[in-house]
Amino acid sequence: MWDVEIRGMASAHAIIGASIFMATVMPAVLVEKFSVYGTHMVWLYSVAGSVAVVNIAVFWLLGVSPPTKKNTLSHKLSKLFRSGLYFLLSCLFFHTVVVLYGAPLIDAALETFSLAVLLSTFTTLRCLCILGPNVQAWIRVFSRDGAMSVWDTSLQITTGCSVVGAWLGAFPIPLDWDRPWQVWPISCSLGATIGFLTGLLAAPLWIRWHRKQLTYKLK
């Protein structure tokens, strides 16, 4: 059972990781003079959109989301509305945190909010796909020993890696190297993306390595 769960996770993560590669390659074909640095906002939203669509599709096909007791249209619409609201609130939360950490408040507000959208896609969207719009479940997963499945553990790892990656990406910005990737928020969004990819790779490996110590029940 462990091997099946881990292989399924590794396959899902490989598909999601490949979506980032495709989101980088496709604009280079379709957009004139495209580059990750020169047209960074195009790349950022291409990655965010691609990861969002693939995440939703993959987790829906795998049936990872918790089952719902109600299957009515009104319940589905309510769940969709709450998911969209939570994602928007997550974007505002990350935007506020990034500004408090020193990002430009007005001069680069669009760039800052775009970084917040990317971080929300790497973190909150996965919470919505795996746990649904259930704040209590989110709190449980990110509390100590709160994971109840391999997917919960995966969520902890990818979320942590994404946030830490964005944080580490901010360190080169004030240095006087005069490099194109030091323009706000390029290094932070690249750091978040690299962190997210690292989490996708590390999660199944970490779970497989520590499977004897993990005692939660599998879904």
Side-chain angles (χ1 to χ4, degrees):
M1 185 64 180
W2 278 105
D3 290 337
V4 173
E5 289 277 340
I6 295 172
R7 281 199 300 268
M9 176 185 296
S11 299
H13 285 188
I15 295 171
I16 296 170
S19 71
I20 296 178
F21 173 77
M22 293 302 298
T24 303
V25 172
M26 291 303 295
V29 177
L30 301 175
V31 179
E32 186 178 357
K33 296 182 180 180
F34 170 82
S35 71
V36 175
Y37 300 154
T39 54
H40 187 68
M41 288 298 100
V42 175
W43 174 82
L44 188 152
Y45 279 105
S46 176
V47 169
S50 178
V51 170
V53 171
V54 172
N55 257 308
I56 293 170
V58 166
F59 288 118
W60 178 73
L61 290 172
L62 289 175
V64 175
S65 301
T68 57
K69 297 180 180 179
K70 298 180 180 180
N71 200 29
T72 62
L73 178 61
S74 60
H75 178 73
K76 291 180 179 179
L77 291 175
S78 174
K79 185 177 179 180
L80 180 62
F81 174 78
R82 286 185 291 123
S83 297
L85 178 62
Y86 289 174
F87 185 82
L88 176 60
L89 292 175
S90 171
C91 293
L92 295 175
F93 170 77
F94 277 119
H95 183 97
T96 302
V97 170
V98 172
V99 169
L100 291 176
Y101 268 90
L105 177 60
I106 298 175
D107 294 341
L110 176 60
E111 288 79 1
T112 302
F113 187 76
S114 299
L115 174 62
V117 171
L118 185 69
L119 283 169
S120 295
T121 303
F122 290 159
T123 59
T124 306
L125 182 66
R126 287 177 64 83
C127 289
L128 292 168
C129 290
I130 295 174
L131 304 172
N134 185 343
V135 177
Q136 291 182 341
W138 297 11
I139 295 173
R140 170 186 58 77
V141 168
F142 290 102
S143 62
R144 183 176 181 180
D145 300 325
M148 295 178 62
S149 73
V150 294
W151 291 105
D152 289 354
T153 303
S154 167
L155 189 58
Q156 294 172 339
I157 294 173
T158 55
T159 298
C161 288
S162 299
V163 173
V164 170
W167 177 66
L168 292 176
F171 280 84
I173 292 178
L175 301 178
D176 58 350
W177 295 345
D178 196 25
R179 295 290 188 269
W181 49 266
Q182 288 180 279
V183 176
W184 176 256
I186 295 177
S187 61
C188 287
S189 56
L190 289 176
T193 304
I194 294 172
F196 180 65
L197 289 170
T198 301
L200 292 178
L201 175 64
L205 295 176
W206 190 92
I207 292 170
R208 182 175 180 82
W209 184 263
H210 293 87
R211 62 187 183 276
K212 292 182 179 180
Q213 288 77 35
L214 297 175
T215 57
Y216 46 63
K217 296 180 180 180
L218 297 177
K219 288 186 177 180

